[in-house]
Amino acid sequence: MEAIKKIAEVASAVGFQAGVPAADVAGQLVSFLYANPEHVERFMREGAELFVDGTIQPEWGGLTYRAGNGEILSPADLRDRKDMVRQ
């Protein structure tokens, strides 16, 4: 329950600052944390800092999302388009 509360708090703050829906940010957080459970403890401590330092990015998530052009993409699609390799 604490993780859900933290996700909602961070999503609300980041969404407000970025001018985007908090639900979209929450989805990105869940996607990222699902694919990268090693970052859960750090997220619980530092919250939005993981966005600031570039740790949380859509291409490192694990769930599909709607791109700006309306396409439904997986993070792997985005990595391929950006020619990115997981380190």
Side-chain angles (χ1 to χ4, degrees):
M1 193 64 169
E2 239 358 82
I4 293 170
K5 182 178 176 183
K6 183 71 169 189
I7 289 168
E9 290 171 352
V10 171
S12 292
V14 170
F16 176 78
Q17 291 172 353
V20 298
D24 291 355
V25 178
Q28 184 178 357
L29 286 168
V30 169
S31 178
F32 176 80
L33 294 171
Y34 160 74
N36 302 278
E38 67 275 12
H39 289 292
V40 171
E41 285 184 38
R42 181 171 169 230
F43 172 75
M44 293 300 290
R45 283 191 318 272
E46 300 178 31
E49 180 60 33
L50 278 73
F51 279 107
V52 174
D53 71 10
T55 300
I56 295 176
Q57 295 189 32
E59 53 268 25
W60 301 126
L63 305 173
T64 60
Y65 64 95
R66 185 176 308 277
N69 64 3
E71 278 187 277
I72 303 297
L73 299 174
S74 75
D77 294 329
L78 185 56
R79 287 191 300 271
D80 288 346
R81 289 178 182 199
K82 291 185 171 184
D83 201 24
M84 299 174 76
V85 177
R86 186 92 191 191
Q87 297 176 354

Coordinates of all heavy atoms in Angstrom, one line a residue:
M1 N 0.8 -1.2 0.0 CA 0.0 0.0 0.0 C 0.9 1.3 0.0 O 0.5 2.3 -0.6 CB -0.9 -0.1 1.2 CG -2.0 0.9 1.2 SD -3.1 0.6 -0.3 CE -4.4 1.7 0.1
E2 N 2.0 1.2 0.7 CA 2.9 2.4 0.7 C 3.4 2.7 -0.6 O 3.5 3.9 -1.0 CB 4.1 2.0 1.7 CG 4.4 2.9 2.9 CD 3.5 4.1 3.2 OE1 2.4 4.0 3.7 OE2 4.0 5.2 2.9
A3 N 3.7 1.7 -1.4 CA 4.2 1.9 -2.8 C 3.2 2.6 -3.7 O 3.5 3.5 -4.4 CB 4.7 0.6 -3.4
I4 N 1.9 2.2 -3.5 CA 0.9 2.8 -4.3 C 0.7 4.3 -3.9 O 0.6 5.2 -4.8 CB -0.5 2.1 -4.1 CG1 -0.3 0.7 -4.8 CG2 -1.6 2.8 -4.7 CD1 -1.5 -0.3 -4.5
K5 N 0.8 4.6 -2.6 CA 0.7 5.9 -2.1 C 1.8 6.8 -2.7 O 1.6 7.9 -3.2 CB 0.7 6.0 -0.6 CG 0.5 7.3 0.0 CD 0.5 7.3 1.5 CE 0.4 8.7 2.0 NZ 0.5 8.7 3.5
K6 N 3.0 6.2 -2.7 CA 4.2 6.9 -3.2 C 4.1 7.2 -4.7 O 4.4 8.3 -5.1 CB 5.5 6.1 -2.8 CG 6.8 6.8 -3.2 CD 7.1 8.0 -2.3 CE 8.5 8.5 -2.6 NZ 8.9 9.5 -1.6
I7 N 3.7 6.2 -5.4 CA 3.5 6.4 -6.9 C 2.5 7.5 -7.1 O 2.7 8.4 -8.0 CB 3.0 5.1 -7.5 CG1 4.2 4.1 -7.6 CG2 2.5 5.3 -8.9 CD1 3.8 2.6 -7.9
A8 N 1.4 7.5 -6.4 CA 0.3 8.5 -6.6 C 0.9 9.9 -6.3 O 0.6 10.9 -7.0 CB -0.9 8.2 -5.8
E9 N 1.6 10.0 -5.2 CA 2.2 11.3 -4.8 C 3.2 11.9 -5.8 O 3.1 13.0 -6.2 CB 2.9 11.2 -3.4 CG 1.9 11.0 -2.3 CD 2.6 10.7 -0.9 OE1 3.8 10.4 -0.9 OE2 1.9 10.6 0.1
V10 N 4.1 11.0 -6.2 CA 5.1 11.4 -7.2 C 4.4 11.7 -8.5 O 4.7 12.7 -9.2 CB 6.2 10.3 -7.4 CG1 7.1 10.6 -8.5 CG2 7.0 10.2 -6.1
A11 N 3.5 10.9 -9.0 CA 2.8 11.1 -10.2 C 2.0 12.4 -10.2 O 2.1 13.2 -11.2 CB 1.8 10.0 -10.5
S12 N 1.4 12.8 -9.1 CA 0.7 14.0 -9.0 C 1.6 15.2 -9.1 O 1.3 16.2 -9.8 CB -0.1 14.1 -7.7 OG -1.1 13.1 -7.7
A13 N 2.7 15.1 -8.4 CA 3.7 16.3 -8.4 C 4.4 16.4 -9.8 O 4.4 17.5 -10.3 CB 4.8 16.0 -7.3
V14 N 4.8 15.3 -10.3 CA 5.5 15.4 -11.6 C 4.5 15.8 -12.7 O 4.8 16.6 -13.6 CB 6.2 14.0 -12.0 CG1 6.6 14.0 -13.4 CG2 7.3 13.7 -11.0
G15 N 3.3 15.2 -12.7 CA 2.3 15.6 -13.7 C 1.9 17.0 -13.6 O 1.8 17.7 -14.7
F16 N 1.8 17.6 -12.4 CA 1.5 19.0 -12.3 C 2.6 19.9 -12.8 O 2.4 20.8 -13.6 CB 1.3 19.4 -10.8 CG 1.0 20.8 -10.5 CD1 -0.2 21.4 -10.8 CD2 2.1 21.6 -10.0 CE1 -0.4 22.7 -10.6 CE2 1.9 23.0 -9.8 CZ 0.6 23.5 -10.1
Q17 N 3.8 19.5 -12.5 CA 5.0 20.3 -13.0 C 5.2 20.2 -14.5 O 5.6 21.2 -15.1 CB 6.3 19.8 -12.3 CG 6.3 20.2 -10.8 CD 7.5 19.6 -10.0 OE1 8.2 18.8 -10.6 NE2 7.6 20.0 -8.8
A18 N 4.9 19.0 -15.0 CA 5.1 18.8 -16.5 C 3.9 19.2 -17.3 O 3.9 19.2 -18.5 CB 5.4 17.4 -16.7
G19 N 2.7 19.4 -16.7 CA 1.5 19.8 -17.4 C 0.9 18.6 -18.1 O 0.3 18.7 -19.2
V20 N 1.1 17.4 -17.5 CA 0.5 16.2 -18.1 C -0.3 15.5 -17.1 O -0.2 15.7 -15.9 CB 1.6 15.2 -18.6 CG1 2.4 15.9 -19.8 CG2 2.5 14.8 -17.5
P21 N -1.2 14.6 -17.5 CA -2.1 13.9 -16.5 C -1.3 13.0 -15.6 O -0.4 12.3 -16.0 CB -3.0 13.0 -17.4 CG -3.0 13.6 -18.8 CD -1.6 14.3 -18.9
A22 N -1.6 13.1 -14.3 CA -0.9 12.3 -13.3 C -1.1 10.8 -13.6 O -0.2 10.0 -13.3 CB -1.4 12.6 -11.9
A23 N -2.2 10.4 -14.1 CA -2.5 9.0 -14.4 C -1.4 8.5 -15.5 O -1.0 7.3 -15.4 CB -3.9 8.7 -14.9
D24 N -1.1 9.3 -16.4 CA -0.1 8.9 -17.4 C 1.3 8.7 -16.7 O 2.0 7.8 -17.0 CB 0.1 9.9 -18.5 CG -1.2 10.0 -19.4 OD1 -2.1 9.2 -19.2 OD2 -1.2 10.9 -20.3
V25 N 1.6 9.6 -15.8 CA 2.9 9.5 -15.1 C 2.9 8.3 -14.2 O 3.9 7.5 -14.1 CB 3.2 10.8 -14.3 CG1 4.5 10.6 -13.5 CG2 3.2 12.0 -15.2
A26 N 1.8 8.0 -13.5 CA 1.7 6.8 -12.7 C 1.9 5.6 -13.5 O 2.5 4.6 -13.1 CB 0.3 6.8 -12.0
G27 N 1.3 5.5 -14.7 CA 1.5 4.4 -15.6 C 2.9 4.2 -15.9 O 3.4 3.1 -16.0
Q28 N 3.6 5.3 -16.2 CA 5.0 5.2 -16.5 C 5.8 4.7 -15.3 O 6.7 3.9 -15.5 CB 5.6 6.5 -17.0 CG 7.0 6.5 -17.5 CD 7.5 7.8 -18.0 OE1 6.8 8.8 -18.0 NE2 8.8 7.8 -18.3
L29 N 5.5 5.2 -14.2 CA 6.1 4.7 -12.9 C 5.9 3.2 -12.7 O 6.9 2.4 -12.5 CB 5.6 5.4 -11.7 CG 6.1 6.9 -11.6 CD1 5.3 7.6 -10.5 CD2 7.6 6.9 -11.3
V30 N 4.7 2.7 -12.9 CA 4.4 1.3 -12.7 C 5.1 0.5 -13.7 O 5.7 -0.5 -13.4 CB 2.9 1.1 -12.7 CG1 2.6 -0.4 -12.8 CG2 2.2 1.7 -11.5
S31 N 5.1 0.9 -15.0 CA 5.8 0.2 -16.0 C 7.3 0.1 -15.7 O 7.9 -1.0 -15.9 CB 5.6 1.0 -17.4 OG 6.3 0.3 -18.4
F32 N 7.9 1.2 -15.3 CA 9.3 1.2 -15.0 C 9.7 0.3 -13.9 O 10.6 -0.5 -13.9 CB 9.8 2.7 -14.8 CG 11.3 2.7 -14.4 CD1 12.3 2.6 -15.4 CD2 11.7 2.8 -13.1 CE1 13.6 2.6 -15.0 CE2 13.0 2.7 -12.7 CZ 14.0 2.7 -13.7
L33 N 8.9 0.5 -12.8 CA 9.2 -0.3 -11.6 C 9.0 -1.8 -11.8 O 9.7 -2.6 -11.2 CB 8.4 0.2 -10.4 CG 8.8 1.7 -10.0 CD1 7.9 2.2 -8.9 CD2 10.3 1.7 -9.5
Y34 N 7.9 -2.1 -12.6 CA 7.7 -3.5 -12.9 C 8.9 -4.1 -13.6 O 9.3 -5.2 -13.3 CB 6.4 -3.6 -13.8 CG 6.3 -4.8 -14.6 CD1 5.9 -6.0 -14.0 CD2 6.5 -4.8 -16.0 CE1 5.8 -7.2 -14.7 CE2 6.4 -6.0 -16.7 CZ 6.0 -7.2 -16.1 OH 5.9 -8.3 -16.8
A35 N 9.4 -3.4 -14.6 CA 10.5 -3.9 -15.4 C 11.9 -3.8 -14.7 O 12.8 -4.5 -15.1 CB 10.6 -3.2 -16.7
N36 N 12.0 -3.0 -13.6 CA 13.2 -2.7 -13.0 C 13.0 -2.8 -11.4 O 13.2 -1.8 -10.8 CB 13.8 -1.3 -13.4 CG 14.0 -1.2 -14.9 OD1 15.0 -1.7 -15.4 ND2 13.0 -0.7 -15.6
P37 N 12.7 -3.9 -10.9 CA 12.4 -4.0 -9.5 C 13.6 -3.6 -8.6 O 13.4 -3.2 -7.4 CB 11.9 -5.4 -9.2 CG 12.5 -6.2 -10.4 CD 12.5 -5.2 -11.6
E38 N 14.7 -3.6 -9.1 CA 15.9 -3.2 -8.3 C 15.9 -1.8 -8.0 O 16.6 -1.3 -7.1 CB 17.2 -3.5 -9.1 CG 17.5 -2.7 -10.3 CD 16.8 -3.3 -11.6 OE1 15.9 -4.2 -11.5 OE2 17.2 -2.8 -12.7
H39 N 15.0 -1.0 -8.6 CA 14.9 0.5 -8.3 C 13.8 0.8 -7.4 O 13.6 2.0 -7.0 CB 14.7 1.3 -9.6 CG 16.0 1.3 -10.4 ND1 17.1 2.0 -10.1 CD2 16.2 0.7 -11.7 CE1 18.0 1.8 -11.0 NE2 17.5 1.1 -12.0
V40 N 13.0 -0.2 -6.9 CA 11.9 0.1 -6.1 C 12.3 0.8 -4.8 O 11.7 1.8 -4.3 CB 11.0 -1.2 -5.8 CG1 10.0 -0.9 -4.7 CG2 10.4 -1.7 -7.1
E41 N 13.3 0.2 -4.1 CA 13.7 0.8 -2.8 C 14.2 2.2 -3.0 O 13.9 3.1 -2.2 CB 14.8 -0.1 -2.2 CG 14.2 -1.3 -1.6 CD 15.3 -2.1 -0.8 OE1 16.2 -1.5 -0.2 OE2 15.3 -3.4 -0.9
R42 N 15.0 2.5 -4.0 CA 15.4 3.8 -4.3 C 14.3 4.8 -4.6 O 14.2 5.9 -4.1 CB 16.5 3.8 -5.4 CG 17.0 5.2 -5.7 CD 18.1 5.2 -6.7 NE 18.4 6.6 -7.0 CZ 18.5 7.1 -8.3 NH1 18.4 6.2 -9.3 NH2 18.7 8.3 -8.5
F43 N 13.3 4.3 -5.4 CA 12.1 5.1 -5.7 C 11.4 5.5 -4.4 O 11.0 6.6 -4.2 CB 11.2 4.4 -6.6 CG 9.9 5.1 -6.8 CD1 9.8 6.2 -7.6 CD2 8.8 4.6 -6.2 CE1 8.6 6.9 -7.7 CE2 7.6 5.3 -6.3 CZ 7.5 6.5 -7.1
M44 N 11.3 4.5 -3.5 CA 10.6 4.8 -2.2 C 11.3 5.8 -1.4 O 10.7 6.6 -0.7 CB 10.4 3.5 -1.4 CG 9.5 2.5 -2.1 SD 7.8 3.1 -2.4 CE 7.2 3.1 -0.7
R45 N 12.6 5.9 -1.5 CA 13.4 6.9 -0.8 C 13.4 8.2 -1.5 O 13.3 9.3 -0.9 CB 14.8 6.4 -0.6 CG 15.1 5.4 0.4 CD 16.6 5.2 0.7 NE 17.4 5.2 -0.5 CZ 17.7 4.1 -1.3 NH1 17.2 2.9 -0.9 NH2 18.5 4.2 -2.3
E46 N 13.6 8.2 -2.8 CA 14.0 9.4 -3.5 C 12.8 9.9 -4.4 O 12.9 11.1 -4.9 CB 15.2 9.2 -4.4 CG 16.4 8.8 -3.5 CD 17.7 8.6 -4.4 OE1 17.8 9.2 -5.5 OE2 18.5 7.7 -3.9
G47 N 11.9 9.1 -4.8 CA 10.7 9.5 -5.6 C 11.1 10.1 -6.9 O 11.7 9.5 -7.7
A48 N 10.7 11.4 -7.1 CA 10.8 12.1 -8.4 C 12.3 12.2 -8.8 O 12.5 12.5 -10.0 CB 10.1 13.4 -8.4
E49 N 13.2 12.1 -7.9 CA 14.6 12.3 -8.3 C 15.0 11.3 -9.4 O 15.9 11.6 -10.2 CB 15.5 12.0 -7.1 CG 17.0 12.2 -7.3 CD 17.4 13.5 -7.8 OE1 16.8 14.5 -7.4 OE2 18.4 13.6 -8.6
L50 N 14.3 10.1 -9.5 CA 14.6 9.2 -10.5 C 14.3 9.7 -11.9 O 14.8 9.3 -12.9 CB 14.0 7.8 -10.3 CG 14.7 6.9 -9.3 CD1 14.6 7.4 -7.9 CD2 14.2 5.5 -9.4
F51 N 13.3 10.6 -12.0 CA 13.0 11.3 -13.3 C 14.1 12.3 -13.5 O 14.6 12.5 -14.7 CB 11.6 12.0 -13.2 CG 10.5 11.2 -13.4 CD1 9.6 10.8 -12.4 CD2 10.1 10.7 -14.7 CE1 8.5 10.1 -12.6 CE2 9.0 9.9 -14.9 CZ 8.2 9.6 -13.8
V52 N 14.4 13.1 -12.5 CA 15.4 14.2 -12.7 C 16.7 13.7 -13.2 O 17.3 14.3 -14.1 CB 15.6 14.9 -11.3 CG1 16.7 16.0 -11.4 CG2 14.3 15.6 -10.9
D53 N 17.2 12.6 -12.6 CA 18.5 12.1 -13.0 C 18.5 11.2 -14.3 O 19.5 10.6 -14.7 CB 19.2 11.4 -11.9 CG 18.7 10.0 -11.5 OD1 17.8 9.5 -12.2 OD2 19.1 9.5 -10.4
G54 N 17.3 11.0 -14.8 CA 17.1 10.2 -16.1 C 17.0 8.7 -15.9 O 17.0 8.0 -16.9
T55 N 16.9 8.2 -14.7 CA 16.8 6.8 -14.4 C 15.5 6.3 -15.0 O 15.4 5.3 -15.7 CB 16.8 6.5 -12.9 OG1 18.1 6.9 -12.4 CG2 16.7 5.0 -12.7
I56 N 14.4 7.0 -14.8 CA 13.0 6.6 -15.3 C 12.8 7.2 -16.6 O 12.8 8.4 -16.8 CB 11.9 7.0 -14.3 CG1 12.1 6.3 -13.0 CG2 10.6 6.7 -14.9 CD1 11.0 6.7 -11.9
Q57 N 12.7 6.3 -17.6 CA 12.4 6.8 -19.0 C 11.5 5.7 -19.6 O 11.6 4.5 -19.3 CB 13.7 6.9 -19.8 CG 14.6 8.0 -19.3 CD 15.8 8.3 -20.2 OE1 15.7 8.1 -21.4 NE2 16.9 8.6 -19.6
P58 N 10.6 6.1 -20.5 CA 9.6 5.2 -21.1 C 10.3 4.0 -21.7 O 9.7 2.9 -21.6 CB 8.9 6.0 -22.1 CG 9.1 7.4 -21.8 CD 10.4 7.5 -21.0
E59 N 11.4 4.1 -22.3 CA 12.0 3.0 -23.0 C 12.6 1.9 -22.1 O 12.8 0.8 -22.5 CB 13.2 3.5 -24.0 CG 14.2 4.3 -23.3 CD 13.9 5.8 -23.4 OE1 12.8 6.2 -23.6 OE2 14.9 6.6 -23.4
W60 N 12.7 2.2 -20.8 CA 13.1 1.2 -19.9 C 12.0 0.6 -19.1 O 12.2 -0.2 -18.1 CB 14.2 1.8 -18.9 CG 15.3 2.3 -19.6 CD1 15.9 3.5 -19.5 CD2 16.1 1.6 -20.6 NE1 17.0 3.7 -20.4 CE2 17.1 2.5 -21.0 CE3 16.1 0.3 -21.2 CZ2 18.1 2.1 -22.0 CZ3 17.1 0.0 -22.1 CH2 18.0 0.9 -22.5
G61 N 10.7 0.8 -19.5 CA 9.6 0.2 -18.8 C 9.3 -1.2 -19.3 O 10.0 -1.7 -20.2
G62 N 8.2 -1.7 -18.9 CA 7.8 -3.1 -19.3 C 6.4 -3.2 -19.8 O 5.9 -4.3 -20.1
L63 N 5.6 -2.1 -19.9 CA 4.3 -2.1 -20.4 C 4.1 -1.2 -21.6 O 4.8 -0.3 -21.8 CB 3.3 -1.6 -19.3 CG 3.4 -2.3 -17.9 CD1 2.6 -1.5 -16.9 CD2 3.0 -3.7 -18.0
T64 N 3.1 -1.6 -22.4 CA 2.9 -0.8 -23.6 C 2.3 0.6 -23.2 O 1.8 0.8 -22.1 CB 1.9 -1.5 -24.6 OG1 0.7 -1.7 -23.9 CG2 2.4 -2.8 -25.1
Y65 N 2.4 1.5 -24.2 CA 1.9 2.9 -23.9 C 1.5 3.5 -25.2 O 1.9 3.0 -26.3 CB 3.0 3.8 -23.2 CG 4.2 4.0 -24.1 CD1 4.3 5.1 -24.9 CD2 5.2 3.0 -24.2 CE1 5.4 5.3 -25.7 CE2 6.3 3.2 -25.0 CZ 6.4 4.3 -25.8 OH 7.4 4.5 -26.6
R66 N 0.7 4.6 -25.2 CA 0.3 5.3 -26.4 C 1.3 6.4 -26.7 O 1.5 7.3 -25.9 CB -1.1 5.9 -26.2 CG -1.6 6.5 -27.5 CD -3.1 7.0 -27.3 NE -4.0 6.0 -26.8 CZ -4.6 5.0 -27.5 NH1 -4.4 5.0 -28.8 NH2 -5.4 4.2 -27.0
A67 N 1.9 6.4 -27.8 CA 2.9 7.4 -28.3 C 2.1 8.7 -28.7 O 0.9 8.6 -28.8 CB 3.7 6.9 -29.5
G68 N 2.8 9.7 -28.8 CA 2.2 11.0 -29.2 C 1.4 11.0 -30.5 O 0.5 11.7 -30.6
N69 N 1.8 10.1 -31.4 CA 1.1 10.0 -32.7 C -0.1 9.0 -32.6 O -0.7 8.7 -33.6 CB 2.1 9.5 -33.7 CG 2.7 8.1 -33.5 OD1 2.3 7.5 -32.6 ND2 3.6 7.8 -34.4
G70 N -0.4 8.5 -31.4 CA -1.5 7.6 -31.2 C -1.2 6.1 -31.3 O -2.0 5.2 -31.0
E71 N 0.1 5.7 -31.8 CA 0.5 4.3 -31.8 C 0.6 3.7 -30.5 O 0.9 4.4 -29.5 CB 1.8 4.2 -32.5 CG 1.9 4.2 -34.0 CD 3.3 4.0 -34.5 OE1 4.1 4.9 -34.5 OE2 3.6 2.8 -34.8
I72 N 0.3 2.4 -30.3 CA 0.5 1.7 -29.1 C 1.9 1.0 -29.3 O 2.1 0.2 -30.2 CB -0.6 0.6 -28.9 CG1 -1.9 1.3 -28.8 CG2 -0.2 -0.2 -27.6 CD1 -2.1 2.3 -27.7
L73 N 2.8 1.4 -28.4 CA 4.2 0.8 -28.6 C 4.6 0.1 -27.3 O 4.1 0.5 -26.2 CB 5.2 2.0 -28.8 CG 5.0 2.8 -30.1 CD1 6.0 4.0 -30.1 CD2 5.2 1.9 -31.3
S74 N 5.5 -0.8 -27.4 CA 6.2 -1.4 -26.3 C 7.5 -0.6 -26.0 O 8.0 0.0 -27.0 CB 6.4 -2.9 -26.5 OG 7.5 -3.0 -27.4
P75 N 8.0 -0.7 -24.8 CA 9.3 -0.1 -24.6 C 10.4 -0.6 -25.5 O 11.3 0.1 -25.9 CB 9.6 -0.4 -23.1 CG 8.2 -0.5 -22.5 CD 7.4 -1.1 -23.6
A76 N 10.3 -1.9 -25.9 CA 11.3 -2.5 -26.8 C 11.2 -1.8 -28.2 O 12.2 -1.6 -28.8 CB 11.0 -4.0 -26.9
D77 N 10.0 -1.5 -28.6 CA 9.8 -0.7 -29.9 C 10.6 0.6 -29.8 O 11.3 1.0 -30.7 CB 8.4 -0.5 -30.2 CG 7.6 -1.7 -30.5 OD1 8.1 -2.7 -31.0 OD2 6.3 -1.7 -30.2
L78 N 10.4 1.3 -28.7 CA 11.0 2.6 -28.5 C 12.5 2.4 -28.5 O 13.3 3.2 -29.1 CB 10.5 3.3 -27.3 CG 11.0 4.7 -27.0 CD1 10.7 5.6 -28.2 CD2 10.3 5.2 -25.7
R79 N 13.0 1.4 -27.8 CA 14.5 1.2 -27.7 C 15.0 0.9 -29.1 O 16.1 1.5 -29.5 CB 14.8 0.0 -26.8 CG 14.6 0.4 -25.3 CD 15.2 -0.7 -24.4 NE 14.6 -2.0 -24.6 CZ 13.6 -2.4 -23.9 NH1 13.0 -1.7 -23.0 NH2 13.1 -3.7 -24.1
D80 N 14.3 0.1 -29.9 CA 14.7 -0.2 -31.3 C 14.8 1.1 -32.1 O 15.7 1.3 -32.9 CB 13.8 -1.2 -31.9 CG 13.9 -2.6 -31.4 OD1 14.9 -2.9 -30.7 OD2 13.0 -3.4 -31.6
R81 N 13.7 1.9 -32.0 CA 13.7 3.2 -32.8 C 14.8 4.1 -32.4 O 15.3 4.9 -33.2 CB 12.3 3.8 -32.6 CG 11.2 3.1 -33.3 CD 9.9 3.8 -33.0 NE 8.8 3.0 -33.7 CZ 7.7 3.4 -34.0 NH1 7.3 4.7 -33.7 NH2 6.8 2.7 -34.5
K82 N 15.2 4.1 -31.1 CA 16.3 4.9 -30.7 C 17.6 4.3 -30.7 O 18.7 4.8 -30.4 CB 16.0 5.4 -29.2 CG 14.9 6.3 -29.1 CD 14.8 6.8 -27.6 CE 13.8 7.9 -27.5 NZ 13.8 8.4 -26.1
D83 N 17.7 3.0 -31.2 CA 18.9 2.2 -31.3 C 19.6 2.1 -30.0 O 20.8 2.3 -29.9 CB 19.8 2.8 -32.4 CG 20.8 1.7 -32.9 OD1 20.5 0.5 -32.8 OD2 21.9 2.1 -33.4
M84 N 18.8 1.8 -28.9 CA 19.3 1.7 -27.6 C 19.6 0.3 -27.2 O 18.8 -0.6 -27.6 CB 18.4 2.4 -26.6 CG 18.1 3.8 -26.9 SD 16.8 4.5 -25.8 CE 17.8 4.6 -24.2
V85 N 20.6 0.1 -26.4 CA 20.9 -1.3 -25.8 C 20.9 -1.2 -24.3 O 21.5 -0.3 -23.7 CB 22.2 -1.8 -26.3 CG1 22.6 -3.1 -25.7 CG2 22.2 -1.8 -27.9
R86 N 20.2 -2.1 -23.7 CA 20.2 -2.2 -22.2 C 21.6 -2.5 -21.7 O 22.2 -3.5 -22.2 CB 19.2 -3.3 -21.8 CG 19.0 -3.3 -20.3 CD 17.8 -2.4 -20.0 NE 17.7 -2.2 -18.6 CZ 16.7 -1.7 -18.0 NH1 15.7 -1.3 -18.8 NH2 16.7 -1.5 -16.8
Q87 N 22.0 -1.8 -20.7 CA 23.4 -2.0 -20.2 C 23.3 -2.9 -18.9 O 22.4 -2.9 -18.2 CB 24.0 -0.7 -19.9 CG 24.2 0.1 -21.1 CD 24.8 1.5 -20.9 OE1 25.0 1.9 -19.7 NE2 25.1 2.2 -21.9

